């Protein structure tokens, strides 16, 4: 599934990833992103606008019948791949951004931080309140005898959020990390049935909550046009990916679910990014397309066997294209959400596992 080999470094997919990835121009004094040629990147927003104006579409792109308010486009080269530009109204985008930062990373849902710190409660609120994550007192010490306790203790250290002054008063030897740093380093959380990255499979024995009904219904509605009449998509698991500037998601396949006729429903939120959809091997040159806040991608059938990934996100004002989100998040109480999303992209991809 995820991961790369030395050979992968030389493939057509890898070349495309390198083409779009953020590199800095080191020849100039001021650190500046290396310019990238974006002329080959498919822009479904402008395709959709001209389709509405004059009914014309570039060759190889087809609309499919549906009763959603926006058209669904499919690609001749990638059966089972569907793109719904602007599928989510901005209010709904705000809702899922908020949930992705506040509710979705809450235990028993797991995040990339679990492996190091164990379950973390209220990470977003802690970052907003300038808290610091510190190791429980019994695991850090100021003299040698306490250090011995640490070394002989077989328990995993527990970490808790504390306010800055609390952290300082504990003396200098406690390990601590600002919550804001942990929020920036949040890369994924898993909802519903938990995906175990180390075993690359779903682990039904891990405790989990049901995916919120509103998200299940949304996924069901988005998936419906790609399913035979009467078949209903069952949202059983979801992965939330968080991207900051320079973060990428390497080429991979999502092949751990049983029924590939059911699509993966993948929604983009926040800053614009580039999504690559390749072929069944990394040797096939991928197509690149922009993914904006509110876009939904569906991958079913043969598209489930295609390598895909995200080599780039754009956080500069001109390219991020989040002005409508900025307007909606302009209230004082949403300022922390706005600060985060101004420089981030979130992707929620929802899966039927069985
Ligand atoms: O971020 C995206 O658009 C793609 C995410 C993805 O492919 C995955 O999580 O499997
Ligand atoms: Fe994926």
């Amino acid at each position: 599934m995820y991961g790369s080999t030395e050979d992968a470094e030389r493939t057509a997919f890898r070349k495309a990833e390198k083409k779009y990835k953020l590199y800095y121009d080191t020849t100039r004094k001021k650190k500046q992103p290396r310019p990238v040629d974006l002329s080959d990147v498919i822009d479904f927003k402008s395709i959709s606008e001209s389709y509405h104006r004059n009914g014309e579409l570039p060759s190889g792109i087809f609309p499919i019948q549906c009763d959603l308010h926006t058209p669904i486009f499919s690609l001749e080269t990638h059966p089972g791949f569907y793109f719904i530009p602007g599928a989510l109204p901005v209010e709904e985008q705000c809702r899922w951004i908020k949930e992705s930062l506040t509710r979705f990373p809450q235990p028993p849902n797991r995040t990339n931080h679990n492996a190091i710190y164990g379950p973390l409660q209220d990470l977003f609120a802690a970052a907003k309140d300038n808290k610091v994550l510190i190791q429980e007192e019994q695991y850090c010490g100021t003299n040698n005898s306490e250090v011995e306790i640490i070394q002989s203790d077989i328990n995993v250290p527990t970490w808790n959020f504390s306010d800055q002054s609390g952290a300082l008063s504990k003396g200098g030897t406690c390990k601590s990390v600002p919550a804001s740093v942990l929020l920036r380093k949040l890369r994924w959380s898993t909802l519903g049935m938990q995906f175990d990255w180390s075993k690359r499979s779903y682990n039904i024995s891990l405790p989990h909550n049901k995916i919120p009904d509103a998200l299940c219904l949304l996924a069901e509605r988005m998936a419906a046009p790609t399913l035979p009449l009467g078949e209903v998509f069952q949202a059983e698991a979801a992965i939330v990916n968080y991207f900051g500037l320079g973060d990428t998601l390497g080429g991979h396949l999502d092949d751990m679910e049983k029924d590939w006729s059911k699509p993966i429903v993948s929604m983009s939120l926040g800053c614009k990014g580039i999504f690559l959809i390749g072929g069944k091997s990394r040797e096939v040159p991928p197509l690149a397309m922009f993914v904006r806040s509110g876009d939904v991608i569906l991958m079913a059938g043969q598209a489930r066997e295609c390598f895909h990934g995200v080599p780039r996100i754009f956080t500069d004002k001109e390219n991020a294209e989040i002005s409508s989100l900025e307007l909606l998040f302009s209230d004082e109480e949403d300022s922390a959400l706005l600060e985060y999303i101004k420089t981030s992209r979130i992707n929620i991809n929802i899966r039927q596992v069985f």
Side-chain angles (χ1 to χ4, degrees), residues 106-313:
Q106 293 288 58
N109 294 347
R110 297 162 66 81
T111 76
N112 55 301
H113 290 318
N114 270 68
I116 305 168
Y117 305 105
L120 295 182
Q121 254 340 309
D122 299 326
L123 171 60
F124 188 73
K128 202 160 111 180
D129 298 341
N130 283 320
K131 290 198 171 169
V132 172
L133 188 71
I134 53 170
Q135 250 182 2
E136 284 255 296
E137 223 161 334
Q138 72 188 90
Y139 296 99
C140 43
T142 50
N143 61 42
N144 285 344
S145 60
E146 278 181 87
V147 173
E148 271 166 34
I149 299 172
I150 307 169
Q151 286 165 349
S152 63
D153 201 318
I154 51 159
N155 292 329
V156 182
T158 54
W159 296 78
N160 285 308
F161 287 117
S162 165
D163 55 36
Q164 301 262 7
S165 55
L168 289 175
S169 69
K170 286 191 192 292
T173 56
C174 262
K175 281 191 191 160
S176 66
V177 198
S180 57
V181 170
L182 293 170
L183 181 64
R184 194 66 277 166
K185 291 186 175 172
L186 180 67
R187 290 307 315 275
W188 55 262
S189 59
T190 42
L191 320 185
M193 203 169 294
Q194 297 291 291
F195 192 78
D196 183 341
W197 296 97
S198 60
K199 298 196 181 85
R200 292 183 178 175
S201 60
Y202 290 95
N203 185 341
I204 49 169
S205 63
L206 287 173
H208 62 272
N209 293 335
K210 200 184 156 303
I211 296 194
D213 285 346
L215 192 58
C216 293
L217 286 172
L218 175 63
E220 187 185 314
R221 188 161 56 86
M222 291 294 149
T226 71
L227 292 173
L229 213 65
E231 272 192 38
V232 179
F233 179 84
Q234 308 284 341
E236 289 166 332
I239 298 175
V240 186
N241 294 300
Y242 306 84
F243 299 81
L245 184 63
D247 289 340
T248 61
L249 179 63
H252 66 277
L253 298 175
D254 297 301
D255 48 8
M256 289 303 149
E257 295 76 22
K258 280 235 162 63
D259 181 357
W260 290 4
S261 70
K262 298 291 184 311
I264 288 183
V265 179
S266 174
M267 15 194 281
S268 287
L269 302 165
C271 293
K272 187 171 79 180
I274 293 180
F275 181 88
L276 298 176
I277 179 85
K280 293 184 185 176
S281 98
R282 291 180 196 267
E283 307 300 332
V284 180
L287 293 175
M289 59 196 72
F290 289 119
V291 273
R292 295 177 172 85
S293 198
D295 291 344
V296 168
I297 285 175
L298 305 170
M299 283 180 284
Q302 289 191 43
R304 291 293 297 258
E305 299 173 66
C306 294
F307 281 89
H308 59 276
V310 178
R312 179 73 179 258
I313 74 152

Side-chain angles (χ1 to χ4, degrees), residues 24-32 34-35:
Y24 286 99
D25 202 338
T26 47
T27 56
R28 299 192 202 185
K29 262 201 179 142
K30 197 168 163 263
K31 194 177 163 190
Q32 285 205 327
R34 183 200 61 173

